[in-house]
Amino acid sequence: MQEHKLRGHTIISIAIFVGGIVFIALGIGIFSKAANFSETVVQDYLDNKTSGVKSIIAKTVTDALSPTINTLTHVSKGITTSIAAFLCLVGIGICMLGIGLFKVKYLAWIITVVLMFVAIVIDVLGLGFVGGSLPSSPDDKGIMSADFAYLLIGIMIAHLLANAFIIYYLTKKSTASIFNLELSKNV
């Protein structure tokens, strides 16, 4: 019986560890995209848009906006890099949480249960946002395509159900007793 309990909590800890790796990979991917983005890309785009127009006004406006575009590009690059670094740090924390669960640490159990509740709230809010951004009519483009919105909704529902199962499993009396036993050994 004890072996079965350990197997279930091991699967959850490995899944959480893999989730942390996904966060780290996402952060690295965003960081590499931000590092490769150049402010000249926007300027080249504007130059190409106005190259067909022989208007001196279009060229003057593009030249006047150039410093502002460069500044906005640098700011957005900084924000994107900060988000990437944050995702990497969160991923490292999640990996450490998975290792703590694997080692049957009581603090890891508490943090996991709390974070799963937070993740459920975020999923519900995300479902509301994505559901609200669906196109209201076939002619309406909306914020995102309907196919992408349905994909996001499916992912969020699966994530919500997985988090609910993890909370259920970790708070079961038999599973929680494993972590409480670890706490009583250390006291």
Side-chain angles (χ1 to χ4, degrees):
M1 182 84 171
Q2 184 74 11
E3 201 175 293
H4 175 68
K5 291 178 196 171
L6 288 177
R7 200 171 351 148
H9 114 281
T10 301
I11 291 170
I12 290 174
S13 65
I14 290 171
I16 289 174
F17 185 82
V18 169
I21 297 295
V22 168
F23 268 85
I24 293 170
L26 186 62
I28 290 171
I30 291 172
F31 184 75
S32 69
K33 289 290 186 187
N36 291 330
F37 188 76
S38 169
E39 60 272 356
T40 60
V41 171
V42 177
Q43 187 62 42
D44 291 343
Y45 173 76
L46 286 175
D47 287 344
N48 286 338
K49 280 292 192 186
T50 59
S51 65
V53 179
K54 300 293 184 201
S55 170
I56 192 81
I57 296 172
K59 290 286 188 187
T60 305
V61 169
T62 303
D63 291 341
L65 290 177
S66 182
T68 305
I69 292 168
N70 287 338
T71 303
L72 289 174
T73 303
H74 285 290
V75 168
S76 65
K77 208 172 175 181
I79 291 171
T80 305
T81 304
S82 298
I83 290 170
F86 178 75
L87 286 174
C88 287
L89 288 175
V90 167
I92 290 169
I94 291 173
C95 286
M96 291 172 55
L97 189 64
I99 291 170
L101 277 178
F102 183 75
K103 291 183 176 183
V104 192
K105 299 296 180 188
Y106 184 69
L107 184 61
W109 178 80
I110 290 173
I111 293 171
T112 301
V113 171
V114 169
L115 288 179
M116 293 301 124
F117 275 115
V118 170
I120 287 174
V121 169
I122 290 171
D123 286 338
V124 169
L125 292 174
L127 284 169
F129 175 76
V130 173
S133 68
L134 283 172
S136 56
S137 68
D139 298 331
D140 186 19
K141 295 206 185 228
I143 295 173
M144 62 184 83
S145 71
D147 292 338
F148 184 67
Y150 289 130
L151 174 69
L152 282 178
I153 288 172
I155 290 170
M156 283 189 265
I157 288 173
H159 191 251
L160 189 139
L161 292 174
N163 289 334
F165 174 76
I166 290 171
I167 290 172
Y168 164 75
Y169 185 79
L170 289 178
T171 56
K172 277 181 19 181
K173 196 175 219 176
S174 57
T175 307
S177 67
I178 296 170
F179 292 94
N180 288 335
L181 287 175
E182 186 272 332
L183 177 67
S184 63
K185 285 185 216 175
N186 289 338
V187 174

